[in-house]
């Protein structure tokens, strides 16, 4: 007796085939409406925050911080060259090209504007260094005052000579001070003598004053944004008033890359690339869009090739794809109406539907052709196919759709969308194959060659072929499968061994937590992000926390720095000088000394006076060498003595005129340099306390939010892609701030959430698929048999992963529930066909149409999933690979293990009523014209 589901599906086909042309026309109309509606209203969700978990505080805070602190979402150009000077010249040129072009309104920074804090320079010195500077200037006030008043080389050398004679050579020049001598004058003298000789040789001027005093520079390396190892220079680009949309950022990134390409001939030794959060996401979305288009076309081509191989008819094979395309048009309309957008993941639904949606048409067509071969009319074959195979096809569609709908339990909106969209598209694909496809067959089959009749025993026309079973096999069976089931012990034993090995291997499959490994392989933004991480010597991803005041910030930063897993904490305190009160007190004392010294006018070079001073210095050095102890003279004395003798030799040599010109220029530069350094020192000794408002704009944007909150960026000293290290880092941070967020926290929590949801999804998928199968099969033994390929295929898939060295990640972990849903139809169709009477191709010997339907459905499913292997996005690629492996494993179990188990189970028992019902249904269907 036909099931209620079979009768309903038979009635649906009757209605659709009553007016086939109208059915097809209505289908095209709805598809056109769906595509038009989608073209007008369907959007591409391009915010990476849309992919974060729903209703999680750390995800909400991460999004809020990205909006509050602008530099978290800046575009970054990383510049690498053999020398820092080359990199800085390149950065300046690149900034000019961008400002003159389409990014004229953007804020482009590659160095700090230090003018805002130049007056506070000395506050950035360590307190001990500042005190040493005060001691040096105070103890050599007379030397500095004499040279300032009379800025000549002779006066400076003589002053230093007197200073080091009394301080550093007490054994030669009388008792010196008991405290340790200040080495600054000695260094100054050595530098002065060396640089005078260098200047005579034509070398450029170098300032010697840094050995005695110098105003601190709060921004070393010229205030350029250099990496710690100085190999990379960063150009930070803020789009300012441009909308934070994918289109705006993508356009800006393309503009920057064109500018980089245009500068390549001018700077052949420079390498540069674009990275930063917007570039990473833009490249990821770009790759996904491109891969989605390629995968869809590839899936169509592969599927068409398989259909041609299966049916050898181009028109019929193309008809399946046309009907599937109509269902995709319907799907786009429904998606636009209910969801309204696609994401980086859900845009891949077309490839999935092409692989799975054709399954229902293939099952239908194989059974329809069998019915035609067995003598049914066009309409009769269509109705019998719907009545007999329709429930199994429906069950396959339901299990696949349910597996995708289960993804909706995930808290990740991107995954939820993908699950809902794919599940809906699968149901619509089934609907098209049970409504539009029969109508299309009714329209095109009269023009095709009529099939040769091949009746089987038990059918009304069996007398026309009395020797049909003479060979021992029905012409509608698969001989290879029939021979395979003759070795049940071998197959069962092999299955047990392989499954036992799979159970051993399954727990050993690893998990890859590195999110960069999910991105498109070789993408420019990923390559340069990795280079920046290597140059930093630590992860470039920071945990984020905030404070509402400087006092709270100080407490939090100190607490974070005490954690064993933290390598560095950056905040506005990193750019504000510490111990300002103590430093200001020292600076006030330094100012009193500095203000007493007045710089006089430049003087002419007196070469004779310089010569006499050098002779005096040489004599003192010679005396120091004679008076030295058993260990001999110090290296300083020897160096000064050698430099003095060399310089005197030049002064008294034959090129006295050249020497005089060189030293005159050197004295002028030395005096001018001293005047500038002293003026800077005078300005820097009376600073006001530096506040947040005094910081350059680049630093305020980085650490001070629009809300006024202060940002802390906390970096780990551990490997953030190692699970145990990641957990330790996050849990330690939460002892200081429970609301800490940032990429390390989001990655850690997302992984935990996905692992938990995945286990639930796997259990739900199996339970729901089993429940649906039990509801439609209504036999416990046969339901268990139908589930066997799923269990075996899933276990074998995990074992193959271990064998091949594959790992789970945050994307491909969802493959297992999808394998359960998509591959459930294989076993279900085999079991349901075995429940039919032998006269209809049932029993232990399965009909050829069912076996071939399972084979080609498996192949088309693998073609659809396999098309994802063209993806550059590593996460999508790994998902496609795992789905192909799972589909192949489940298909193998369905074609090898399941028929053997069905054969061992024997012919299902049926009541006389069942057999009478089947005969009645057979007769009534045969009369349909």
């Amino acid at each position: 007796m036909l099931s209620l589901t079979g009768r309903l599906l038979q009635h649906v086909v009757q209605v659709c085939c009553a007016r086939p042309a109208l059915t097809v026309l209505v289908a095209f109309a709805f598809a056109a409406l769906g595509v038009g509606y989608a073209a007008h209203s369907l959007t591409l969700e391009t915010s990476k925050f849309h992919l974060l978990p729903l209703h999680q505080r750390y995800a909400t805070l991460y999004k809020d911080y990205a909006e509050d602190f602008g530099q978290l979402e800046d575009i970054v150009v990383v510049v690498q060259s053999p020398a820092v000077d080359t990199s800085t010249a390149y950065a300046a040129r690149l900034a000019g090209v961008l400002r003159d072009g389409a990014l004229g309104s953007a804020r482009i920074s590659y160095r700090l504007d230090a003018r805002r804090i130049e007056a506070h320079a000395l506050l950035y010195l360590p307190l001990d260094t500042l005190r040493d500077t005060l001691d040096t200037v105070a103890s050599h006030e007379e030397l500095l005052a004499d040279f300032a008043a009379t800025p000549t080389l002779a006066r400076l050398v003589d002053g230093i000579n007197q200073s080091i004679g009394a301080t550093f050579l007490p054994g030669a020049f009388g008792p010196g001070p008991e405290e340790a001598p200040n080495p600054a004058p000695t260094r100054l003298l050595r530098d002065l003598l060396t640089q005078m000789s260098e200047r005579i040789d034509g070398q450029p001027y170098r300032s010697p004053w840094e050995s005695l005093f110098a105003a601190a520079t709060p921004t070393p390396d010229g205030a350029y944004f250099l990496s710690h190892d100085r190999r990379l220079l960063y150009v930070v680009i803020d789009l300012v008033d441009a909308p934070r949309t994918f289109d705006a950022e993508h356009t800006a990134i393309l503009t920057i890359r064109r500018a980089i390409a245009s500068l390549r001939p001018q700077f052949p030794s420079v390498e540069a690339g674009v990275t930063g959060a917007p570039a990473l996401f833009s490249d990821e979305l770009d790759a996904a869009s491109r891969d989605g288009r390629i995968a869809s076309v590839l899936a169509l081509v592969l599927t068409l090739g398989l259909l041609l191989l299966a049916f050898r008819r181009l028109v019929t094979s193309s008809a399946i794809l046309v009907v599937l395309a109509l269902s995709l048009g319907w799907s786009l309309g429904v998606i636009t109406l209910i969801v309204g957008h696609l994401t980086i993941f859900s845009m891949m639904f077309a490839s999935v539907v092409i692989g799975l949606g054709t399954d229902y048409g293939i099952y239908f067509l194989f059974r329809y052709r069998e019915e035609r071969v067995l003598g049914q009319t066009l309409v009769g074959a269509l109705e019998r196919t719907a009545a007999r195979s329709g429930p199994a096809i429906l069950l396959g569609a339901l299990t696949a759709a349910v597996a995708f709908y289960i993804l909706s339990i995930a808290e990740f909106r991107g995954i939820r969308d993908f699950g809902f969209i794919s599940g809906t598209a699968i149901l619509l694909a089934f609907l098209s194959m049970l409504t539009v496809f029969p109508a299309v067959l009714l329209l095109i089959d009269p023009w095709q060659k009529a099939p040769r009749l091949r009746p089987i025993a038990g059918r009304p026309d069996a007398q026309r072929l009395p020797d049909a079973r003479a060979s021992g096999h029905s012409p509608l069976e698969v001989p290879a499968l029939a021979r395979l089931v003759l070795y049940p012990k071998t197959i069962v034993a092999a299955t047990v061994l392989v499954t036992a090995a799979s159970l051993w291997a399954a727990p050993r499959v690893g998990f890859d937590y590195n999110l960069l490994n999910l991105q498109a392989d070789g993408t420019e933004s990923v390559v340069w992000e990795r280079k920046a991480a290597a140059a930093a010597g630590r992860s470039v991803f920071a945990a984020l926390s905030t404070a509402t005041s400087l006092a709270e910030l100080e407490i939090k930063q100190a607490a974070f720095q005490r954690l064993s897993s933290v390598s560095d904490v950056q905040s506005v305190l990193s750019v504000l000088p510490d111990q300002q009160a103590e430093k200001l007190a020292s600076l006030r004392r330094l100012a009193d000394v500095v203000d007493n010294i007045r710089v006089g006018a430049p003087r002419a070079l007196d070469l004779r006076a310089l010569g006499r001073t050098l002779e005096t210095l040489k004599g003192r050095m010679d005396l120091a060498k004679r008076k030295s102890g058993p260990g001999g003279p110090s290296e300083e004395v020897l160096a000064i003595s050698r430099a003095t003798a060399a310089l005197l030799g030049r002064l008294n040599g034959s090129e006295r005129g050249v020497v005089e010109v060189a030293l005159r220029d050197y004295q002028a530069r030395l005096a001018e340099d001293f005047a500038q350094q002293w003026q800077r020192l005078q300005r820097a000794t009376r600073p006001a306390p530096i506040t947040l408002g005094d910081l350059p704009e680049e630093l305020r944007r980085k650490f001070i939010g629009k809300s006024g909150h202060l940002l802390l960026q906390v970096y780990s000293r551990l490997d953030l892609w190692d699970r145990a290290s990641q957990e330790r880092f996050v849990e330690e941070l939460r002892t200081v701030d429970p609301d800490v967020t940032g990429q390390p926290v989001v990655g850690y929590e997302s992984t935990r959430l996905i692992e938990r949801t995945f286990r639930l999804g796997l259990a739900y998928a199996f339970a729901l698929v089993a429940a649906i199968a039990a509801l439609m099969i209504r036999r416990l033994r046969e339901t268990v048999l139908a589930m066997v390929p799923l269990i075996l295929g899933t276990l074998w898939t995990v074992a193959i992963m271990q064998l091949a060295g594959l790992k789970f990640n945050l994307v491909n972990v969802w493959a297992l529930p999808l394998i359960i849903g998509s591959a459930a139809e294989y076993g279900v169709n085999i079991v349901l066909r075995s429940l039919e009477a032998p006269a209809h191709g049932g029993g232990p010997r399965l009909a050829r149409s069912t076996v071939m339907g399972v084979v080609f459905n498996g192949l088309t499913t693998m073609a659809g999933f396999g098309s994802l292997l063209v993806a550059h996005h590593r996460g999508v690629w790994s998902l496609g690979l795992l789905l192909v492996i799972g589909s192949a494993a489940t298909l193998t179990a369905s074609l090898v293990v399941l028929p053997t188990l069905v054969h061992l189970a024997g012919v299902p028992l049926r009541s006389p009523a069942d057999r009478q019902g089947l005969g009645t249904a057979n007769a009534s269907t045969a009369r349909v014209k």
Side-chain angles (χ1 to χ4, degrees):
M1 180 179 294
L2 288 177
S3 65
L4 176 61
T5 304
R7 292 197 300 272
L8 289 175
L9 294 176
Q10 184 181 28
H11 181 67
V12 169
V13 171
Q14 285 177 346
V15 172
C16 294
C17 290
R19 295 189 177 181
L22 179 61
T23 299
V24 174
L25 184 61
V26 170
F28 270 97
F30 275 111
L33 288 174
V35 172
Y37 181 36
H40 179 267
S41 303
L42 186 64
T43 61
L44 182 63
E45 179 54 63
T46 57
S47 172
K48 66 179 181 182
F49 299 107
H50 185 81
L51 304 178
L52 294 180
L54 295 166
H55 314 306
Q56 298 293 331
R57 180 162 175 76
Y58 61 84
T60 303
L61 287 174
Y62 189 35
K63 182 175 183 294
D64 293 343
Y65 289 174
E67 294 174 351
D68 199 13
F69 301 94
Q71 206 163 33
L72 294 177
E73 293 297 309
D74 282 346
I75 301 169
V76 179
V77 177
V78 184
V79 181
Q80 183 177 22
S81 74
V84 173
D85 290 343
T86 306
S87 296
T88 57
Y90 180 90
R93 183 73 183 108
L94 177 64
V97 170
L98 295 176
R99 290 189 183 110
D100 294 340
L103 298 184
S105 62
R107 183 188 288 111
I108 303 172
S109 309
Y110 54 91
R111 65 185 302 183
L112 289 176
D113 181 6
R115 291 173 297 179
R116 293 180 61 94
I117 54 177
E118 185 176 3
H120 306 85
L122 289 178
L123 288 175
Y124 284 91
L125 285 175
L127 182 58
D128 291 341
T129 303
L130 188 58
R131 286 171 175 168
D132 289 343
T133 301
L134 171 60
D135 292 342
T136 300
V137 173
S139 60
H140 298 90
E141 181 178 0
E142 182 179 355
L143 166 65
L144 295 170
D146 285 347
F147 176 76
T150 309
T152 66
L153 287 172
R155 179 59 63 90
L156 181 58
V157 173
D158 183 61
I160 299 174
N161 189 4
Q162 298 298 327
S163 175
I164 64 173
T167 305
F168 293 99
L169 303 170
F173 306 112
E178 295 182 359
E179 67 271 10
N182 192 320
T186 306
R187 291 197 302 268
L188 175 61
L189 180 60
R190 288 177 57 178
D191 290 345
L192 189 65
L193 295 172
T194 301
Q195 291 170 25
M196 280 193 286
S197 294
E198 290 177 351
R199 190 59 182 161
I200 294 171
D201 293 332
Q203 296 186 32
Y205 172 80
R206 293 186 297 114
S207 177
W209 297 115
E210 292 180 1
S211 60
L212 188 64
F213 73 89
T217 302
T219 53
D221 290 321
Y224 289 100
F225 299 160
L226 294 172
S227 61
H228 289 300
D229 59 5
R230 303 178 81 250
R231 291 190 299 111
L232 304 178
L233 184 145
Y234 304 108
V235 181
V236 180
I237 301 172
D238 175 21
L239 300 182
V240 193
D241 298 327
R244 287 290 182 180
T245 62
F246 171 77
D247 289 338
E249 292 177 342
H250 183 65
T251 301
I253 290 167
L254 291 179
T255 300
I256 296 167
R257 285 175 173 159
R258 284 194 296 268
I260 290 173
S262 69
L263 293 179
R264 196 163 291 125
Q266 302 176 40
F267 296 88
S269 63
V270 174
E271 294 181 62
V274 185
T275 187
L280 285 168
F281 190 73
S282 173
D283 286 350
E284 188 175 28
L285 195 59
D286 233 12
S289 301
R290 181 176 60 254
D291 293 342
R293 292 191 294 269
I294 296 174
S296 298
V297 173
L298 180 60
L300 279 172
V301 172
L302 291 176
T303 301
L304 179 59
L306 289 170
L307 292 174
L308 289 173
L309 180 64
F311 302 112
R312 311 293 176 88
R313 290 185 178 181
L314 178 61
V315 175
T316 305
S317 301
S318 300
I320 293 180
L321 295 183
V322 170
V323 172
L324 184 65
L326 293 177
S327 75
L328 288 174
W330 304 349
S331 300
L332 287 173
V334 174
I335 292 167
T336 306
L337 180 64
I338 299 177
V339 181
H341 61 258
L342 292 175
T343 67
I344 187 173
F345 293 123
S346 61
M347 66 174 58
M348 295 291 181
F349 86 97
S351 297
V352 174
V353 173
I354 290 171
L356 291 176
T358 53
D359 291 1
Y360 317 128
I362 290 173
Y363 279 129
F364 193 96
L365 187 55
F366 266 118
R367 184 60 184 265
Y368 164 76
R369 292 183 69 182
E370 177 184 310
E371 296 297 335
R372 289 285 289 143
V373 166
L374 295 175
Q376 289 291 329
T377 62
L378 287 174
V379 176
L382 292 172
E383 293 182 9
R384 179 178 289 274
T385 299
R388 295 290 181 184
S389 293
I393 298 173
L394 173 60
L395 179 55
L398 288 176
T399 55
V402 163
F404 281 98
Y405 282 139
I406 285 174
L407 298 184
S408 298
I409 68 174
E411 293 200 43
F412 295 85
R413 282 175 287 189
I415 296 176
R416 289 165 64 105
D417 291 347
F418 175 66
F420 176 80
I421 289 171
S422 298
T424 302
I426 285 171
L427 291 180
L428 291 176
F430 163 77
L431 180 63
S432 68
M433 294 302 172
L434 262 293
T435 56
V436 183
F437 188 52
V440 171
L441 287 177
L442 195 58
L443 292 174
I444 64 175
D445 244 22
W447 302 94
Q448 312 231 13
K449 183 179 178 181
R452 183 165 56 90
L453 299 181
R454 299 176 110 183
I456 64 174
R459 296 293 289 263
D461 47 2
Q463 68 276 9
R464 295 174 55 188
L465 193 59
D467 57 343
R469 299 180 60 91
S471 64
H473 294 294
S474 167
L476 297 182
E477 290 179 4
V478 180
L481 196 60
R483 287 193 296 270
L484 195 62
V485 298
L486 297 178
Y487 306 96
K489 292 182 180 180
T490 303
I491 292 174
V492 171
T495 301
V496 170
L497 289 175
V498 172
T499 305
S502 300
L503 289 171
W504 174 85
R508 292 168 171 77
V509 177
F511 201 105
D512 185 1
Y513 297 98
N514 193 334
L515 298 181
L516 287 181
N517 289 342
L518 298 182
Q519 305 239 357
D521 194 22
T523 300
E524 177 182 323
S525 56
V526 175
V527 170
W528 286 98
E529 190 75 16
R530 292 185 188 275
K531 287 188 177 183
R538 53 164 168 73
S539 172
V540 295
F541 298 112
L544 306 177
S545 179
T546 59
T548 56
S549 66
L550 279 175
E552 181 187 357
L553 185 68
E554 289 177 355
I555 295 172
K556 276 191 173 182
Q557 180 156 331
F560 281 129
Q561 288 172 333
R562 286 193 294 269
L563 299 177
S564 61
S565 61
V566 172
S567 68
D568 186 25
V569 181
Q570 295 184 3
S571 73
V572 73
L573 295 178
S574 306
V575 293
L576 280 178
D578 58 355
Q579 298 178 289
Q580 288 199 61
E582 295 89 338
K583 291 178 180 179
L584 288 170
S586 295
L587 286 174
R588 283 192 292 270
R589 294 195 297 273
L590 180 60
D592 293 337
V593 177
V594 171
D595 288 347
N596 291 330
I597 298 175
R598 297 288 184 268
V599 179
R603 304 295 179 91
L605 173 69
D606 188 343
L607 199 59
R608 290 182 180 179
L610 177 61
R612 290 193 298 270
T613 303
L614 291 174
E615 290 286 356
T616 302
L617 176 62
K618 183 178 182 301
R620 288 191 172 182
M621 292 300 104
D622 292 341
L623 180 60
K625 288 190 289 185
R626 291 195 300 271
K627 294 289 185 178
S628 59
S634 67
E635 180 59 35
E636 290 178 343
V637 171
L638 293 175
I640 293 173
S641 178
R642 287 193 297 266
T644 305
L647 191 57
L648 280 171
R650 306 290 293 271
L651 261 65
N652 298 324
S654 59
E655 298 181 350
R656 184 180 178 87
V658 175
V659 171
E660 184 174 4
V661 171
L663 292 181
R664 183 186 301 118
D665 177 72
Y666 182 78
Q667 176 178 285
R669 290 176 180 270
L670 183 71
E672 181 183 6
D673 182 23
F674 177 85
Q676 292 175 352
Q677 294 273 14
W678 201 256
Q679 289 172 2
R680 286 184 61 201
L681 187 61
Q682 286 177 323
R683 290 194 300 268
T685 53
R686 297 189 183 277
I690 189 169
T691 64
L692 298 180
D694 297 317
L695 296 176
E697 174 66 20
E698 294 84 0
L699 296 179
R700 291 204 305 275
R701 287 185 61 251
K702 184 174 183 179
F703 294 117
I704 306 174
K706 300 170 187 175
S707 64
H709 288 181
L710 306 175
L711 181 69
L712 295 99
Q713 295 178 317
V714 188
Y715 294 90
S716 174
R717 69 172 68 255
L718 307 174
D719 180 7
L720 285 180
W721 308 124
D722 175 71
R723 175 67 168 181
S725 299
Q726 188 183 56
E727 181 177 6
R728 176 186 164 192
F729 179 57
V730 173
E731 294 304 326
E732 282 191 4
L733 294 182
R734 284 176 171 166
T735 62
V736 177
D737 181 4
D739 286 334
V740 68
T741 185
Q743 197 282 327
V745 179
V746 172
Y748 168 68
E749 289 294 348
S750 297
T751 302
R752 292 178 61 194
L753 195 59
I754 283 180
E755 287 178 336
R756 184 168 63 250
T757 308
F758 155 71
R759 294 189 186 97
L760 288 175
L762 192 61
Y764 288 165
F766 186 80
L768 289 174
V769 167
I772 294 172
L775 184 65
M776 298 195 70
I777 298 175
R778 299 185 181 181
R779 291 171 182 263
L780 178 60
R781 183 181 65 173
E782 282 71 18
T783 301
V784 172
L785 286 174
M787 294 298 102
V788 166
L790 294 185
I791 300 172
L792 297 181
T794 304
L795 286 174
W796 295 353
T797 298
V798 180
I800 293 172
M801 290 183 66
Q802 172 65 15
L803 187 64
L806 302 175
K807 293 183 179 181
F808 284 115
N809 57 50
L810 296 181
V811 177
N812 70 17
V813 74
W814 298 102
L816 296 185
L818 299 183
I819 290 169
I820 290 176
S822 61
E825 62 185 46
Y826 307 152
V828 166
N829 275 278
I830 289 175
V831 169
L832 284 178
R833 188 63 191 268
S834 73
L835 291 175
E836 294 188 34
H840 299 285
R845 293 185 174 183
L846 297 177
R848 181 181 181 85
S849 65
T850 299
V851 175
M852 298 306 293
V854 169
V855 169
F856 279 95
N857 282 336
L859 293 176
T860 55
T861 298
M862 284 189 281
F865 290 149
S867 67
L868 299 179
L869 295 177
V870 303
H872 292 81
H873 187 280
R874 306 306 293 171
V876 175
W877 182 90
S878 64
L879 175 65
L881 177 62
L882 205 54
L883 287 171
V884 169
I885 293 173
S887 298
T890 310
L891 182 62
T892 302
S894 300
L895 294 175
V896 177
V897 181
L898 183 57
T900 301
L901 297 179
V902 170
H903 178 76
L904 291 175
V907 182
L909 297 177
R910 294 180 178 83
S911 66
D914 290 334
R915 292 193 293 271
Q916 182 180 358
L918 289 171
T920 305
N922 179 32
S924 63
T925 306
R927 288 194 297 270
V928 178
K929 302 297 180 183

